[in-house]
Amino acid sequence: MKSETKQIKADFTYLSVGCGVQSGTLTEMIVKGDAPRIDVAIFADTGDEPDYVYEYKEYLTKRLASVGVDLVTVKTGHIIDDLYKNKRFASMPVYTRIDNVKSMMRRQCTREYKIAPIEKAMKAMLVEKGLARYSKSKAVLVNKGVTVEAWMGLSLDEIQRLKPSQTKWINNRWVLVEKRMTRLDCINYLNSKNLPVPKKSSCRVCPFHNNEYWRYLKTERPDDWQHVVQVDNDLRNNTIQIHASLKGDVYLHKDAIPLEQVDLRSAEDKGQMSFLDMCDEGYCGV
């Protein structure tokens, strides 16, 4: 698989900022002049990130402002509030156990809470710049031939996640892959510039977390741990109304048992799907 695609001159360029190591590195490279200039950076807020993600976002906002680039926050709701209101239960890929058979529900959260609000904001920006227009029905029509370049913070060791945009006027670009940089290279870059290295960025209740991350929450972030345990328990105690057609119980952990009962001591996560492998649209955790 080729790591680079043919570059087409874009009319507008944005960076998807997930406030993790890779997108943080790209942001710093833009500020330092080690990567080309972009028009805007966008952070899609699900509402359930750890507090250190929001703190790092504020830091990156100031960094980008120093070179005249805005970091815009967009959101389409709060993934936890929506869960309790029974608005978007199917969005989360929770694990199920029905007749002692484990499976996973459909995942829609990345598109609903990340991709959709970013593209909505992008359309508004294109209208403002005269690159799109409103139809009589108030839908946004992107002008013919207009191309938006979306920078994704994916590195060389995540090459399996490189996928083209499903939106015809958006071309995804992976600058770190073009530079042959891995996640470790990103960390080394930040350290070499005496810049902060961010922690992992992801929703606290994401079912794709492995045992290592769950252990981290339990031992290092007790408030976050209590949060995820409460949500996990509420999935089964009628606090959260589950779709009537689902006859079994649902869980955040892949073992399909209550999170607080899982043995998290093992350093190995045999059979556990990787968060990076599964959130493969290129928006989550970047």
Side-chain angles (χ1 to χ4, degrees), residues 106-245:
R106 180 183 177 188
R107 173 172 57 100
Q108 298 169 292
C109 45
T110 301
R111 173 152 292 278
E112 293 187 20
Y113 289 92
K114 295 277 189 177
I115 299 174
I118 286 178
E119 292 190 358
K120 181 179 179 180
M122 186 54 50
K123 287 180 179 179
M125 294 178 193
L126 293 180
V127 170
E128 184 178 336
K129 291 185 172 293
L131 299 173
R133 64 199 185 281
Y134 289 106
S135 68
K136 292 182 180 180
S137 63
K138 300 303 180 181
V140 175
L141 303 176
V142 178
N143 295 348
K144 184 177 181 179
V146 168
T147 300
V148 171
E149 189 171 86
W151 286 23
M152 301 295 172
L154 299 179
S155 50
L156 189 61
D157 46 332
E158 301 172 310
I159 200 166
Q160 74 277 6
R161 298 177 67 198
L162 272 59
K163 294 185 178 181
S165 170
Q166 297 180 22
T167 302
K168 63 180 181 180
W169 45 271
I170 295 180
N171 290 327
N172 289 345
R173 184 177 179 186
W174 305 277
V175 176
L176 294 175
V177 175
E178 294 171 11
K179 293 178 177 293
R180 315 299 293 176
M181 292 180 66
T182 64
R183 186 177 189 276
L184 180 58
D185 292 327
C186 291
I187 293 173
N188 290 337
Y189 175 88
L190 296 174
N191 285 331
S192 71
K193 306 290 184 181
N194 293 316
L195 297 167
V197 177
K199 300 181 180 69
K200 178 179 176 180
S201 169
S202 64
C203 291
R204 291 177 292 177
V205 298
C206 179
F208 291 134
H209 291 316
N210 58 23
N211 283 352
E212 181 181 6
Y213 186 81
W214 292 128
R215 282 198 307 275
Y216 165 70
L217 289 188
K218 185 174 184 179
T219 59
E220 303 296 331
R221 301 187 63 82
D223 289 344
D224 288 340
W225 174 250
Q226 289 303 315
H227 167 72
V228 297
V229 166
Q230 184 66 58
V231 172
D232 180 64
N233 288 335
D234 286 347
L235 289 172
R236 297 177 300 280
N237 65 12
N238 296 322
T239 301
I240 297 172
Q241 294 184 6
I242 302 172
H243 196 280
S245 65

Side-chain angles (χ1 to χ4, degrees), residues 45-61:
D45 184 9
T46 67
D48 193 52
E49 301 277 356
D51 54 12
Y52 60 74
V53 168
Y54 298 108
E55 292 167 1
Y56 189 61
K57 186 203 72 170
E58 293 305 314
Y59 163 78
L60 292 182
T61 298

